[in-house]
Amino acid sequence: RLLAELLTVDRRPQTEAPLAFDAIVGRNALTRHPDKPAAARLLSGLLSELGVISLAETVPQHTQRLVDLIDPTSLGAELTAELRQAEEAIYHRDDDSMVNWDEHALRAAFEAAGLAAEVAVEREASDLQVTPAVLARWFSPSADPARPSYADHLGRKLDDAARSTVEAAFRKQLNNRVLSWGTTTAYLLSLIHI
């Protein structure tokens, strides 16, 4: 949304110099943006000659896998493998702009926009309280067809019996537990080539 608003920033008369920023800083400004190369070009065009862009973007493609939170022996080797495959499919969908990129694609988008770009990646852990509400969110159909729930995604790969077994294992093993939740953040520093 912010990037769309930036498109309307410079509405001053053409006789005045265009707006140029010395620094553009953002946190998760591009994570959900559907066209990261276009966003990089837009931001590049807003920089002053010596300007810098500094972004911290959570990389959903590298997020915690739920299958890794449970004891795999409770599902058996075959169902665990099917679940792992179904879950990986969530994070490798070419048609989902939230997960169809990683830190390499982010760097490439800014380099294609004529900027020098450095990206550092950090894996971070935080506590997650797995409440009944969290489990319900994971295993209920989504109200938004554009953002399927975990259960919706699993429904594409697993039959009803397998999904029920997976849900029962999650509820039994994770309900009301505090777990370590891993996320990956890409820190991008970008400036105009001189």
Side-chain angles (χ1 to χ4, degrees):
R1 193 183 91 183
L2 178 60
L3 289 174
E5 292 172 13
L6 281 174
L7 290 170
T8 63
V9 164
D10 196 1
R11 298 288 184 208
R12 297 174 303 153
Q14 293 294 327
T15 56
E16 293 183 32
L19 281 177
F21 295 93
D22 293 329
I24 298 172
V25 178
R27 170 79 175 161
N28 291 333
L30 302 182
T31 299
R32 293 179 184 261
H33 195 280
D35 189 347
K36 288 161 187 65
R41 289 189 301 275
L42 170 65
L43 294 176
S44 173
L46 294 172
L47 279 183
S48 67
E49 186 175 307
L50 298 176
V52 63
I53 297 171
S54 178
L55 301 176
E57 299 292 329
T58 300
V59 185
Q61 191 177 92
H62 299 317
T63 197
Q64 174 72 53
R65 300 307 195 248
L66 298 183
V67 66
D68 294 330
L69 298 175
I70 62 169
D71 174 9
T73 61
S74 65
L75 297 177
E78 186 177 333
L79 182 52
T80 298
E82 290 175 7
L83 176 59
R84 189 172 303 284
Q85 186 178 38
E87 194 166 346
E88 284 305 317
I90 297 170
Y91 299 101
H92 291 91
R93 292 184 52 199
D94 291 337
D95 64 337
D96 186 343
S97 62
M98 193 162 139
V99 298
N100 67 0
W101 65 279
D102 63 9
E103 65 277 11
H104 306 293
L106 187 65
R107 178 187 296 116
F110 279 83
E111 289 176 346
L115 300 172
E118 294 180 19
V119 177
V121 175
E122 286 188 19
R123 183 91 171 141
E124 300 149 350
S126 59
D127 288 341
L128 171 68
Q129 173 76 42
V130 184
T131 63
V134 169
L135 289 163
R137 189 179 73 236
W138 289 346
F139 288 101
S140 297
S142 173
D144 179 4
R147 293 282 6 127
S149 69
Y150 184 68
D152 295 331
H153 283 292
L154 294 185
R156 295 178 179 151
K157 302 285 184 181
L158 302 178
D159 63 28
D160 290 344
R163 284 195 320 271
S164 293
T165 300
V166 168
E167 181 176 355
F170 273 74
R171 289 186 183 280
K172 181 178 180 182
Q173 294 179 41
L174 302 182
N175 190 32
N176 290 318
R177 287 191 52 208
V178 176
L179 304 170
S180 180
W181 183 265
T183 58
T184 299
T185 303
Y187 295 92
L188 176 129
L189 183 64
S190 192
L191 22 118
I192 293 176
H193 285 293
I194 298 177

